Amino acid sequence: MAEYRIDELARIGGSTVRNIRAYQDRGLLPPPRLQGRVGLYDDNHLARLRLIGKLLGRGYTLAIIKELLAAWQTGKDVGEVLGLEKVLTDPWSDELPGTATDAELVEIFGAGLDDDEVVRFRQRTLELGLIEPDPDGAGYRVPSPRLLHVGAELVAAGIPLDAVLDIAAQIRADCEIIAGRFVGLVEEHVFDRLDQAAPGPEDVTEVAAVVRRMRPLVKMVVDPFIARAMEARVQEALGDRLETVRNQPAQS
């Protein structure tokens, strides 16, 4: 079996010396065999390092990776842990991402904007997460084409672009509050209860089931509330407008 110094292991494993030491400190990577004052790593370390890199690349946190590796080593059902992580990391929308080029964004939103305004618009849409840099460098990735469509429709209706972006930022903040309330509810009544004792496989399954149930429930709760609120606000606003028109003297 081949042996490697830490710098060699980092190079071959596609990592860094700093990361390897951090993984050791967290218990993700076993310590090396010491030969005098030199640490020597073998192919088992290399395989573990590459596995950690792949899991990180898939979006797993170091805490989850440690749990997975511990379950693997003790012969537990890794599928249970992977099932929970899949539930936690799966997207909550079935919407497919799209792409857009600078020219397309300007065509949709930038009519009448000067160069400085276009730059500011692009920066704000990036900050809001409406677009993301394309790794290939060919334009942008659009996580939610629906959101861009809504923005384009509002601009087409005569609402200034800055006002549309301002309300998008406010709605995003409101949605983060709503999401926090749902997650806080589950943390208080499910996660905290499980923390009182060492969770077993059945507890992991329960947590995964609760998170799955939350997906449709969130929309089922939010949609009726926003619909009723919009009905009330629109009726109120139109009622005031109609009352104003009704009270105006007739033109002779």
Side-chain angles (χ1 to χ4, degrees):
M1 181 177 293
E3 290 189 320
Y4 316 93
R5 293 173 178 262
I6 190 170
D7 56 336
E8 295 173 323
L9 180 69
R11 177 176 54 81
I12 298 173
S15 186
T16 65
V17 171
R18 182 179 180 180
N19 283 344
I20 290 173
R21 288 177 174 150
Y23 299 156
Q24 288 177 198
D25 292 341
R26 290 174 175 265
L28 298 173
L29 201 63
R33 179 180 71 84
L34 291 178
Q35 187 175 57
R37 300 178 61 181
V38 177
L40 295 176
Y41 300 82
D42 57 30
D43 289 335
N44 291 324
H45 292 94
L46 179 59
R48 175 71 67 89
L49 181 63
R50 285 173 171 167
L51 175 60
I52 293 170
K54 288 181 180 179
L55 292 175
L56 286 172
R58 290 172 57 187
Y60 289 82
T61 65
L62 290 177
I64 292 295
I65 292 173
K66 184 176 182 179
E67 186 177 355
L68 288 171
L69 294 175
W72 183 22
Q73 287 179 324
T74 57
K76 293 181 181 178
D77 187 359
V78 179
E80 295 287 352
V81 183
L82 285 170
L84 174 59
E85 180 65 6
K86 184 176 187 301
V87 168
L88 295 177
T89 57
D90 274 352
W92 282 58
S93 171
D94 58 0
E95 184 178 11
L96 295 176
T99 59
T101 64
D102 264 322
E104 289 170 339
L105 291 174
V106 170
E107 181 180 355
I108 296 172
F109 296 98
L113 301 179
D114 60 32
D115 291 343
D116 290 340
E117 289 172 329
V118 169
V119 170
R120 188 172 71 251
F121 157 70
R122 186 186 302 116
Q123 183 61 35
R124 291 200 66 189
T125 52
L126 285 167
E127 292 171 353
L128 288 169
L130 299 175
I131 60 174
E132 299 172 351
D134 191 324
D136 297 331
Y140 303 94
R141 179 179 180 271
V142 181
S144 174
R146 294 173 190 167
L147 287 178
L148 275 192
H149 174 73
V150 170
E153 288 294 313
L154 292 174
V155 170
I159 300 176
L161 179 57
D162 282 340
V164 171
L165 295 177
D166 287 342
I167 196 65
Q170 295 169 17
I171 292 175
R172 186 181 71 167
D174 293 339
C175 289
E176 289 175 353
I177 292 173
I178 294 172
R181 287 174 176 160
F182 271 98
V183 173
L185 184 70
V186 175
E187 283 185 325
E188 178 182 356
H189 296 285
V190 179
F191 292 171
D192 289 351
R193 171 171 53 83
L194 296 178
D195 283 344
Q196 296 175 2
E202 67 281 359
D203 297 318
V204 173
T205 302
E206 180 182 350
V207 171
V210 170
V211 176
R212 287 192 193 97
R213 289 175 187 169
M214 286 177 62
R215 292 176 182 269
L217 293 180
V218 171
K219 290 185 178 181
M220 289 171 66
V221 169
V222 173
D223 285 353
F225 273 127
I226 192 65
R228 292 171 62 184
M230 286 297 297
E231 288 172 6
R233 290 298 182 96
V234 168
Q235 289 172 6
E236 179 183 354
L238 289 180
D240 291 343
R241 298 280 181 177
L242 290 174
E243 188 67 22
T244 300
V245 172
R246 189 178 296 116
N247 292 333
Q248 287 181 348
Q251 298 290 332
S252 56

